[in-house]
Structure formats: structure tokens, C-alpha cells
Amino acid sequence: LECFEFMAKQGDADAQYECAVFYEKHINNIDKAFYYYYLAVSNGNNKALDALIRYYLFELDEVPWDNNVLEIFEKAAGNGNIRAQLALAKAYYFGQTGSVDYGAAYKLFETAADKDNEEAQYYLGEMYNNGYGVALNKVKAFGFYKVSAQKKFKLSWTALGKMYFYGYGTQI
């Protein structure tokens, strides 16, 4: 550990990542692990970026959407991390970043949906069903709900059931 810490202090992103992993897995010091993950991300280590996303999404009760956290999630989303894309999209969709941004949410949901993410497909259905940031389009909403429901995303089942019941977007 001392060797890695020495190299980490010299700015070596891989050593910073290894220090973070060691502190997280072997010493169980999440504060020190977070510190080294953050340093490694600042120096371009993508494995550390994924670890930070995991930390924010699974270790905290609520993501603190400040500018640093937004930057981390935007970087991870840009690198193709679907969890980051989805979390960031929902933060924009629900206004957790300080204000609702349906345009940003749509782009991220669309990117994740293109990778067959059923939750993103559901939210695209919601956006079209309610006209949130897009033109109201019940047919498109129905299509997104249907694809998501086929993948067993439960919220889509409810939404699709309502669409059938009211005849929205269907041929019934």
C-alpha cells in the first residue's frame, strides 16, 4: 500500500485507483477510498469513474447533485456507462439537479434505450405520453411502453394497461 500511496501522491491515476480499491475492500475505509477514487477520476482513470458511479448509486441514500457529482456522472454517461446515463437522465427528468431539464433527460434516456435499457424505454414512453419535452405522441408512448413491458419492466405493464384501457396509441 505504501508504494501505491507514494505513486498516487505523484499523480499516478492507476496507483490512485489501486489505493482506492485497497481502502474500500481491505481496510473498509470508504472515505479514504472515495478520496482516491475521486483523484483517479480527476486524472482520467475510467475504472475509478465506474467505481464512483457505483458508490453514488448504491452506497448513498440519495445522490447529492452538486456540480462535482454532475461532472462525474456526465463524464461516465459520455463514456457509455448506462447506469450513469439513466441516473443522470432521471435527475434531469425529476429536477433533482435544481431544475427540470427534459431536453437533457430525453437525450440520455434515448442513448440508454438504444442499448435496450427497459427503464429508459419506459421513461421515453412517459415523455411522449405526457408531452414532457417532446410533442405529445400516444402512439410512440405505446411503442416504448410495449418494448419495455416485454422486458418485464413492471412500471411499463401498468402504463401499457392504461393505454389499452383508454385506447391510447392502440388500434383498439
Side-chain angles (χ1 to χ4, degrees):
L1 178 63
E2 290 175 19
C3 220
F4 280 119
E5 283 189 311
F6 175 79
M7 293 171 59
K9 289 176 183 172
Q10 306 302 313
D12 184 308
D14 291 333
Q16 291 163 343
Y17 173 75
E18 294 301 330
C19 284
V21 169
F22 190 83
Y23 276 109
E24 179 184 10
K25 307 266 187 218
H26 302 290
I27 298 178
N28 201 27
N29 183 336
I30 201 68
D31 291 332
K32 199 82 165 181
F34 182 82
Y35 167 76
Y36 279 113
Y37 280 135
Y38 193 80
L39 281 179
V41 167
S42 299
N43 288 311
N45 186 296
N46 286 328
K47 288 190 282 186
L49 186 61
D50 290 339
L52 271 184
I53 296 302
R54 180 177 38 79
Y55 170 78
Y56 279 120
L57 294 178
F58 301 115
E59 300 296 329
L60 299 178
D61 292 331
E62 187 175 322
V63 177
W65 291 106
D66 61 24
N67 288 338
N68 290 333
V69 174
L70 280 171
E71 184 179 319
I72 289 167
F73 273 79
E74 286 170 355
K75 188 173 190 175
N79 286 347
N81 184 310
I82 293 177
R83 279 187 271 188
Q85 291 166 350
L86 195 56
L88 189 56
K90 289 182 353 186
Y92 287 133
Y93 181 87
F94 290 112
Q96 295 169 317
T97 60
S99 63
V100 171
D101 186 345
Y102 290 131
Y106 181 87
K107 287 177 188 173
L108 289 161
F109 284 139
E110 185 178 46
T111 301
D114 286 346
K115 295 176 186 167
D116 283 335
N117 182 279
E118 61 275 8
E119 188 173 1
Q121 291 162 337
Y122 164 77
Y123 278 105
L124 286 174
E126 284 290 282
M127 294 184 85
Y128 280 109
N129 192 33
N130 296 294
Y132 295 155
V134 295
L136 186 71
N137 188 325
K138 300 290 187 181
V139 173
K140 280 189 176 183
F142 181 88
F144 280 114
Y145 289 148
K146 186 175 181 183
V147 169
S148 179
Q150 288 170 338
K151 296 175 188 164
K152 308 216 182 325
F153 190 71
K154 291 179 183 174
L155 291 174
S156 290
W157 293 352
T158 303
L160 195 57
K162 288 178 183 176
M163 299 292 278
Y164 275 117
F165 181 79
Y166 292 110
Y168 297 146
T170 69
Q171 299 300 323
I172 297 172

